[in-house]
Amino acid sequence: MNNINSILLAFILLACGEANKKEHNSVSTSENETLETAKTEIKKTNNNKVLCKINGKDWDYTTSDGMVSRNSSTQVRTATIGFKKQLEKGYESIQLEYDVDKNVLNNVWVQLKRPAKDGKMITAFYTQYGDKIDQDPKASLSGTVSLNEDTRKASGTAEITISNDYEQDQLANPEDLLITISGLGFSDISYSDTDDLKKLMKK
């Protein structure tokens, strides 16, 4: 009788062990499938393109836009090309303004998320105007732009060094007081031209 009980007990323990093993394998398989699905979704949604380096680190963007306009008084054409990087909370951006006729970079506006002294992330603003470049000995601004008038596509380059003039007392890291944007290059950025709208209005 004791032998029968021992055999039954061993059978029950063996059965439970197999059940637990199957359940563990099932959970592991499910977790792996979930992980692979998440990786696939990240690959599908992470379509950002690298635009440049900021202080030596790659900076990529989510969307871009462009606008070419003509000053009604001076007739100078200006190309404004913008790049936006969508974040989980907020966004970062780089906006470039070129003088099309002289083919030079005139002005730059940059917004970056940077750590503050209180431990929070804040938006740091970096602005550089070409006609005020001499006021900051550390600043530099150069770049060119090319417009394909047939396809309405813009290409260009930029090399920039800008100081932060707004959040100096709040930024936690000294290296964020001055940013260097290097290797900035873009091509085939769609743009609209205000001259087209003016032509339509005359019809």
Side-chain angles (χ1 to χ4, degrees), residues 7-8 14 42 84 105 117 127 156 161 167 190:
I7 293 171
L8 286 173
L14 183 63
I42 289 172
K84 183 176 180 180
L105 179 62
K117 292 178 180 177
T127 303
T161 300
E167 296 80 27
S190 298

Side-chain angles (χ1 to χ4, degrees), residues 97 105-109 127-134 141 162 166:
E97 186 181 272
L105 179 62
N106 267 351
N107 307 310
V108 178
W109 299 269
T127 303
Q128 185 59 62
Y129 298 101
D131 59 358
K132 296 181 179 180
I133 196 78
D134 295 334
L141 204 62
I162 320 175
Y166 305 99

Side-chain angles (χ1 to χ4, degrees), residues 16-105:
C16 289
E18 287 298 321
N20 288 336
K21 185 177 179 181
K22 288 180 180 178
E23 183 179 352
H24 176 73
N25 289 341
S26 176
V27 171
S28 297
T29 302
S30 177
E31 287 177 350
N32 287 335
E33 289 176 352
T34 302
L35 184 60
E36 289 303 317
T37 301
K39 288 180 179 177
T40 302
E41 289 302 317
I42 289 172
K43 287 180 181 178
K44 286 181 181 178
T45 56
N46 188 16
N47 295 321
N48 289 10
K49 298 178 181 179
V50 175
L51 176 69
C52 60
K53 288 184 181 295
I54 298 181
N55 287 353
K57 296 180 180 179
D58 285 347
W59 188 86
D60 53 41
Y61 66 95
T62 310
T63 58
S64 62
D65 58 71
M67 171 70 74
V68 175
S69 58
R70 188 186 300 274
N71 186 291
S72 57
S73 301
T74 64
Q75 296 300 303
V76 172
R77 295 181 77 204
T78 299
T80 304
I81 310 296
F83 302 91
K84 183 176 180 180
K85 179 179 182 177
Q86 191 64 50
L87 304 174
E88 186 176 345
K89 291 184 179 180
Y91 65 90
E92 295 183 336
S93 66
I94 295 177
Q95 186 168 303
L96 311 165
E97 186 181 272
Y98 297 87
D99 182 321
V100 175
D101 301 317
K102 293 181 180 179
N103 195 19
V104 295
L105 179 62

Side-chain angles (χ1 to χ4, degrees), residues 64-67 81 151-154 188-192:
S64 62
D65 58 71
M67 171 70 74
I81 310 296
T151 62
R152 291 292 190 262
K153 300 285 186 180
D188 294 330
I189 302 298
S190 298
Y191 71 88
S192 55

Side-chain angles (χ1 to χ4, degrees), residues 1-10:
M1 191 69 173
N2 288 334
N3 289 337
I4 294 174
N5 288 338
S6 298
I7 293 171
L8 286 173
L9 181 60

